[in-house]
Amino acid sequence: VLYYLSVFFLAALFLVNGKMFATILRALIGVGFLISLLLLGLQIFVIGSICFYCMISLASSIILFFLSCQITL
C-alpha cells in the first residue's frame, strides 16, 4: 500500500514540478518492478504456489513500469 501511495503522490508532484520528481518516480517504480519480479520468482521456485492478489500487484507494477518509461522531461 505504501508503494502505491508513494507513486500516487510523486505522480501528483510530477505534475507540479516535473524534472525533479520524474527521476524519483522512475526510480521508485523501477525498484517496485524489480521487487515484484523477485517475489514472483519466490512464489514459483520456493513456495510453489501462485497468489492471485500478488499477480494483480505484479500486473499493476508492470503497467506502471511501462508507463514510467514514457515520461518525458
Side-chain angles (χ1 to χ4, degrees):
V1 174
L2 289 176
Y3 167 70
Y4 293 110
L5 286 174
S6 299
V7 168
F8 175 76
F9 285 119
L10 284 172
L13 290 172
F14 167 72
L15 295 175
V16 175
N17 185 2
K19 289 185 180 184
M20 183 175 76
F21 291 106
T23 305
I24 298 169
L25 186 61
R26 282 184 188 162
L28 179 66
I29 291 173
V31 168
F33 176 69
L34 292 175
I35 289 173
S36 293
L37 289 178
L38 172 73
L39 293 175
L40 175 65
L42 287 174
Q43 288 181 57
I44 293 171
F45 299 113
V46 176
I47 300 170
S49 180
I50 301 293
C51 169
F52 175 72
Y53 298 108
C54 298
M55 291 296 102
I56 292 174
S57 177
L58 175 65
S60 65
S61 292
I62 291 170
I63 291 169
L64 285 172
F65 178 74
F66 285 112
L67 287 176
S68 73
C69 292
Q70 302 298 319
I71 294 174
T72 58
L73 298 178

